[in-house]
Amino acid sequence: MKKTTNIALASAVTGLIALAGTAMTASTAVAAEAKEKCYGVAKAGKNDCATKTSSCAGTAKTDGQKDAFIMVPKGLCDRLAGGSTSSS
């Protein structure tokens, strides 16, 4: 009887771990969809991706560089001073 209980408990724990992993993956995907590129608001050296003049993240030369972007929640960029959802 004890061996059966241990197997059942191990199966339950394994199932919970698998379920938690699936839930975390789904929430990450939803979070990624709820973001947009916001140009012109990144601080120098804090941009998220390449610009017209460089090929790496973190290479913006000046604050507010028009071709450098950061990822922000959808709808926030329009409310930021100097923010634009398109590159200049």
Side-chain angles (χ1 to χ4, degrees):
M1 176 88 167
K2 196 171 194 168
K3 196 174 206 177
T4 305
T5 304
N6 286 343
I7 291 173
L9 182 60
S11 295
V13 169
T14 302
L16 287 174
I17 291 171
L19 183 61
T22 302
M24 288 175 69
T25 301
S27 66
T28 302
V30 169
E33 290 176 8
K35 296 208 177 246
E36 65 185 352
K37 293 178 181 179
C38 188
Y39 294 89
V41 296
K43 296 287 183 188
K46 301 294 183 180
N47 58 308
D48 283 341
C49 202
T51 68
K52 291 178 183 176
T53 57
S54 68
S55 62
C56 299
T59 56
K61 303 274 187 237
T62 60
D63 289 350
Q65 188 173 319
K66 296 296 181 191
D67 65 339
F69 72 86
I70 57 172
M71 298 300 289
V72 298
K74 278 196 182 209
L76 177 63
C77 189
D78 295 330
R79 296 182 285 173
L80 296 175
S84 173
T85 54
S86 61
S87 177
S88 296

